[in-house]
Amino acid sequence: MENVQAVKQRFEIIGNDPKLNRAIEKAIQVAPTDISVLVTGESGVGKESIPKIIHALSHRKHGKYIAVNCGAIPEGTIDSELFGHEKGAFTGAVNTREGYFEVASGGTIFLDEVGELPLTTQVRLLRVLENGEFIKVGSSKVQKTDVRIVAATNVKMFEAIEKGKFREDLYYRLSTVEINLPPLRERGEDIHLLFRKFSADFATKYKMPPIRLDEQAVNYLKQYRWDGNIRQLRNIAEQISVIETKRDIDLVTIQTYLPNRNAQLPSLVNTSKSESDFSNEREILYKVLFDMKNDLNDLKKLTLELMKNGNSSQVQEVNQSLIQKIYGQNEEFHQNASTNRAIPLSEKPSQIVNPHLDEDEDDNDENYLIAETIDDEETLKLEDREIQLIKKALERNNGKRKAAADELGISERTLYRKIKQYDL
């Protein structure tokens, strides 16, 4: 059995990170067996190297090795690609075709991005894993295959299972052994080694001297987040090799290719909103609306008391707690109540809170004479109550309309209209 260093040299794997070494060790150990392997890790970490190691060190090394990118094949044709089809099975099927599982029999098939497989294809794949059987599209004949399956994915499989996008039984069949490759940002000491390797490769390819980084530039590379992992690092090395005329690269130059916004800094605040965040906001909004409804009901009750009694001092004594709840410590309200000034029906709700609004607005006070805040349970019509209040005011003022209008808190013109309307 080959050791880790020999395998890394053979497959040109750069790095000495313990997690990387452990992943290669597991690949070496499982290679002689036929058990299925699932390789996990972020996009761009080099997952395609593991199945090559497993195949090369297995007894199937003389058989075929086929790599299939499941995410690149359209859903309508992936069953045909993997399992083959019979002539006339669908439009365009002019000939019988062998699928990858039939062609790779005796060898190894690598299913990259297996998490993107449609659910119907997952059922077919599960059958292959369980007993090596499959059926071509458009056929009823069961065929056998002897193939070693190694799969890879950058999808978080348990989340996909919970969302119903991946079958749980298939996951456990694929992941008899799971090998995880660490992201590049966790391999700080390997980053400069990889960059130097890529720089040397591009120098040979483009026939130019290799680029070199100063100490600050190297430290910046180590601190960078590298969301694209090794693939992103390789692209950056190629860009700098081709574009920069100077072969010595400093920090300022490297920052033009790698903006600081992606630097690997501690994250203290999670700016993304989860469903629970939105749920909390909804609960707060519902509570505010509920409190507003209660305040409105209290205001209705107080308005009704004022209309019934017409004596604000008496209403204040009976409903002291309710008034404080609505108006707080509003001195102007209590002063009006202490002078026995009844709050007239014609005043707008805003005038009840602040009685010192412009008196010119009284021209439209007939629009507010009919209060809209009477409880539905009040059986006596508001119109009848309005008539009673007008009659009492006229009686107390010996029929003097101006004095009665002042007492009611409405304009004389509005009172005249009401007298005419109700034929008083």
Side-chain angles (χ1 to χ4, degrees), residues 151-165:
T153 182
N154 58 8
V155 175
K156 294 181 179 179
M157 298 302 287
F158 287 110
E159 291 184 7
I161 291 170
E162 290 177 359
K163 295 177 181 178
K165 294 182 178 180

Side-chain angles (χ1 to χ4, degrees), residues 191-328:
I191 293 175
H192 190 210
L193 293 175
L194 286 164
F195 188 88
R196 289 170 56 187
K197 171 65 167 61
F198 294 144
S199 299
D201 291 344
F202 293 127
T204 302
K205 179 178 179 180
Y206 298 117
K207 296 179 174 58
M208 58 178 63
I211 57 176
R212 296 178 296 274
L213 303 179
D214 66 14
E215 185 176 352
Q216 288 183 321
V218 171
N219 291 333
Y220 187 82
L221 287 184
K222 292 179 180 180
Q223 294 172 0
Y224 198 74
R225 181 169 177 78
W226 299 110
D227 290 324
N229 292 292
I230 297 174
R231 187 180 294 120
Q232 183 185 8
L233 179 64
R234 185 179 186 278
N235 290 344
I236 292 298
E238 185 171 17
Q239 287 183 52
I240 298 175
S241 297
V242 173
I243 296 174
E244 294 298 322
T245 56
K246 294 192 305 180
R247 297 289 91 184
D248 293 324
I249 306 300
D250 57 14
L251 176 61
V252 176
T253 304
I254 205 76
Q255 284 178 335
T256 61
Y257 294 90
L258 296 170
N260 192 46
R261 63 177 179 271
N262 284 333
Q264 186 182 358
L265 298 175
S267 177
L268 299 180
V269 180
N270 183 10
T271 57
S272 61
K273 286 197 172 185
S274 62
E275 288 186 12
S276 61
D277 294 329
F278 289 110
S279 177
N280 291 337
E281 289 182 2
R282 283 196 299 268
E283 290 179 4
I284 293 172
L285 182 59
Y286 291 152
K287 185 178 184 305
V288 170
L289 292 175
F290 183 74
D291 291 341
M292 289 174 63
K293 181 181 178 182
N294 289 339
D295 291 343
L296 183 59
N297 290 335
D298 293 337
L299 188 58
K300 287 180 181 180
K301 181 178 178 181
L302 183 59
T303 305
L304 185 60
E305 289 289 336
L306 288 169
M307 293 179 62
K308 285 181 179 179
N309 300 311
N311 189 325
S312 61
S313 180
Q314 181 181 353
V315 172
Q316 183 184 15
E317 293 176 2
V318 176
N319 301 279
Q320 186 67 34
S321 60
L322 183 60
I323 291 171
Q324 289 183 353
K325 179 181 177 182
I326 298 174
Y327 299 104

Side-chain angles (χ1 to χ4, degrees), residues 134-162:
F134 69 95
I135 301 176
K136 288 184 177 181
V137 177
S139 174
S140 58
K141 180 183 177 181
V142 177
Q143 295 183 241
K144 299 281 288 186
T145 184
D146 176 23
V147 66
R148 168 78 170 278
I149 296 177
V150 180
T153 182
N154 58 8
V155 175
K156 294 181 179 179
M157 298 302 287
F158 287 110
E159 291 184 7
I161 291 170
E162 290 177 359

